[in-house]
Amino acid sequence: MNLPTVLDLITERETTTRRHTDRLREQITALTGELARLDNELADLATTRTTLRTLAAAEFTADDPTIASAPYQQILHILSTAPTGMRAKGICLALGVEPLPKHVEGTRAKLKRMVNHHVLTEDQPGVFTLNPKRT
């Protein structure tokens, strides 16, 4: 093998390696950008979680955190779509729960609890509406 052939092989290898290096640098740049985006999203989610916990703690006392649970949220959803106040039996029917006395009384207890937390109002006995200050 002569010197020009060896130098040509080195040049060819150098060109191939440079192309590969450039591709890797482009991938690193793209991955670094994606990593930064995901890090920002994680930080935003952590901030959102902290904010929601703070708001929930202010809205619902620690002695009764169940108001934030699904059954209470379903009741709030039903009342938010009702044009006027509703009674416990009507809420049971809207929830698809058979209006047996035990279900109606359980719903009424939840409604009274939400009145105590100022989430609902009971301007007429047995008729519950969303607290206008919260909507």
Side-chain angles (χ1 to χ4, degrees):
M1 213 179 244
N2 60 24
L3 184 60
T5 304
V6 171
L7 291 175
D8 287 344
L9 288 172
I10 291 173
T11 301
E12 184 179 311
R13 178 71 181 162
E14 184 180 31
T15 302
T16 302
T17 302
R18 183 166 284 121
R19 282 190 207 130
H20 187 68
T21 303
D22 290 343
R23 279 194 304 269
L24 288 175
R25 283 194 177 101
E26 288 172 8
Q27 289 175 352
I28 288 170
T29 300
L31 289 172
T32 301
E34 179 69 6
L35 180 61
R37 187 189 69 75
L38 291 172
D39 281 340
N40 288 336
E41 184 177 345
L42 285 171
D44 289 346
L45 290 169
T47 301
T48 301
R49 177 183 294 110
T50 301
T51 302
L52 287 175
R53 283 184 176 156
T54 302
L55 291 173
E59 290 292 321
F60 309 113
T61 61
D63 52 319
D64 198 357
T66 58
I67 291 178
S69 67
Y72 288 89
Q73 294 305 307
Q74 291 169 341
I75 291 171
L76 289 174
H77 175 72
I78 287 170
L79 286 171
S80 70
T81 60
T84 60
M86 292 181 72
R87 295 186 174 278
K89 184 175 182 178
I91 292 173
C92 283
L93 291 170
L95 288 170
V97 175
E98 190 174 355
L100 297 173
K102 66 179 184 177
H103 296 148
V104 173
E105 289 307 313
T107 300
R108 184 174 289 111
K110 287 179 180 70
L111 293 165
K112 293 283 190 179
R113 194 170 293 125
M114 287 192 279
V115 168
N116 290 337
H117 286 284
H118 308 290
V119 176
L120 302 179
T121 60
E122 186 181 10
D123 295 330
Q124 300 172 21
V127 179
F128 299 90
T129 58
L130 287 174
N131 188 338
K133 295 176 187 170
R134 293 181 49 88
T135 57

